[in-house]
Amino acid sequence: MKVVTWNLNNRRYNQRAWDQLIGLDPDLALISEANFVPEDFPGFSFYCEPAMGHKRTPRNFRTCILTKGEIGPPIELAARQTWVNEGLSTFPGNIVARKVSFKAWRDVNVVSVHMPSWYFPYKEFTSEDVTDVMLPGYDKISMSELLWAALKETMPCLGGDWIVGGDFNTSEFIGSTKRQNDANCEVIERMKRLGFLEAIRHMCGGPVPSWKSSQRTAILKHQLDHLYLSGAFRIHLKSAYVGDPERYFSMGLSDHLPLIAEIEFPE
């Protein structure tokens, strides 16, 4: 099985990026910031949702799942905290969770992630103590914390193996202060404690840059995109790598590189 996750970068027209994505021949692709979606995908099943913005109006891009398998029903990501669930339902389309069935594999729990850069307005949803969800030493909450709180409760109840990937907007180097970088590291560690393996970091021995700012003098520095695997997928991971920056950036397709993982099915 080949799994790809790619932020198509809303600021650019996505037709050529889709051509490249299909050319990668993925069994499963988790796509974010798609402002154009082709009408037909021969040989693939497809599902997408528009991402809700912080002003509670849909953005002009979508978060998508593309697969050679069969897309099944939605997965209800439900946390213990009522305000977390209300937050997830108020800002849909940033986290898209569905069952996906493959002939050679049992049903898979799939989550395609677009992590907004804005902070979640938790004070509009609760007056309760939120420190059990908030990152240690921090005073703000991002949608990544809501995803973690929901996965923490949903995974033991639902069972099965999980593939969670996309633009998490999380890098241990991107903060302007050590506290911000430590918080970003904790986002990654929380996923690890849930039983996830971050494919790129595992196979490459550390983070690999996947995003470059559109500024002319920018350097390729941060891995904002992540591909998390649980259960049998982490055990049978064969390879994982980031797309060649010279190839993809020269085509002007996106400010993100695709992440690609290959998983060997057991005999």
Side-chain angles (χ1 to χ4, degrees):
M1 175 192 286
K2 180 187 283 187
V3 182
V4 176
T5 181
W6 197 5
N7 180 322
L8 298 189
N9 183 210
N10 175 50
R11 292 188 299 277
R12 311 180 195 200
Y13 183 60
N14 297 147
Q15 173 65 73
R16 292 175 61 234
W18 281 107
D19 294 341
Q20 292 297 317
L21 178 64
I22 297 301
L24 288 170
D25 195 29
D27 296 286
L28 175 68
L30 310 177
I31 305 126
S32 59
E33 290 198 26
N35 58 32
F36 165 82
V37 175
E39 292 184 2
D40 192 27
F41 293 98
F44 291 92
S45 299
F46 182 75
Y47 178 79
C48 69
E49 291 182 17
M52 189 67 70
H54 69 284
K55 295 182 179 179
R56 306 191 189 193
T57 55
R59 302 291 303 275
N60 67 332
F61 58 79
R62 287 166 275 184
T63 307
C64 315
I65 298 173
L66 178 77
T67 179
K68 290 180 182 175
E70 194 172 310
I71 296 177
I75 296 171
E76 183 182 359
L77 294 172
R80 177 175 54 81
Q81 302 86 351
T82 302
W83 64 269
V84 170
N85 298 329
E86 291 175 351
L88 290 171
S89 62
T90 301
F91 299 103
N94 293 294
I95 298 167
V96 174
R98 308 283 295 202
K99 286 277 189 183
V100 177
S101 299
F102 294 95
K103 288 181 180 178
W105 203 280
R106 56 187 177 274
D107 287 356
V108 182
N109 303 306
V110 173
V111 185
S112 185
V113 173
H114 164 260
M115 200 58 64
S117 57
W118 41 267
Y119 289 109
F120 172 70
Y122 69 90
K123 292 180 181 178
E124 297 177 18
F125 291 82
T126 184
S127 57
E128 300 173 7
D129 180 9
V130 297
T131 52
D132 56 341
V133 174
M134 186 177 284
L135 295 170
Y138 221 55
D139 57 358
K140 297 175 182 176
I141 291 178
S142 296
M143 291 288 287
S144 57
E145 286 82 89
L146 273 62
L147 172 61
W148 167 77
L151 286 171
K152 184 180 179 182
E153 300 300 321
T154 305
M155 290 178 70
C157 298
L158 192 60
D161 296 332
W162 293 73
I163 297 176
V164 180
D167 176 9
F168 277 74
N169 209 22
T170 299
S171 164
E172 56 265 63
F173 310 118
I174 201 169
S176 57
T177 67
K178 182 178 184 299
R179 187 181 71 166
Q180 288 174 329
N181 287 333
D182 287 346
N184 286 331
C185 288
E186 177 61 16
V187 172
I188 297 168
E189 287 300 312
R190 282 181 169 187
M191 295 294 286
K192 183 178 178 181
R193 292 195 292 270
L194 290 179
F196 284 107
L197 179 79
E198 207 289 319
I200 298 297
R201 297 170 66 91
H202 177 73
M203 297 303 295
C204 300
V208 178
S210 63
W211 172 79
K212 183 170 74 171
S213 165
S214 56
Q215 295 177 1
R216 188 174 58 85
T217 56
I219 9 179
L220 179 60
K221 183 177 179 182
H222 305 294
Q223 184 185 331
L224 300 185
D225 311 278
H226 300 274
L227 182 57
Y228 293 101
L229 309 173
S230 85
F233 293 110
R234 60 176 292 163
I235 296 170
H236 296 287
L237 177 64
K238 179 184 177 183
S239 68
Y241 53 97
V242 173
D244 180 3
E246 290 189 11
R247 175 188 175 189
Y248 287 99
F249 287 147
S250 66
M251 288 190 283
L253 302 176
S254 174
D255 54 357
H256 289 253
L257 298 171
L259 271 56
I260 303 152
E262 296 178 342
I263 301 160
E264 272 191 324
F265 290 114
E267 296 294 335

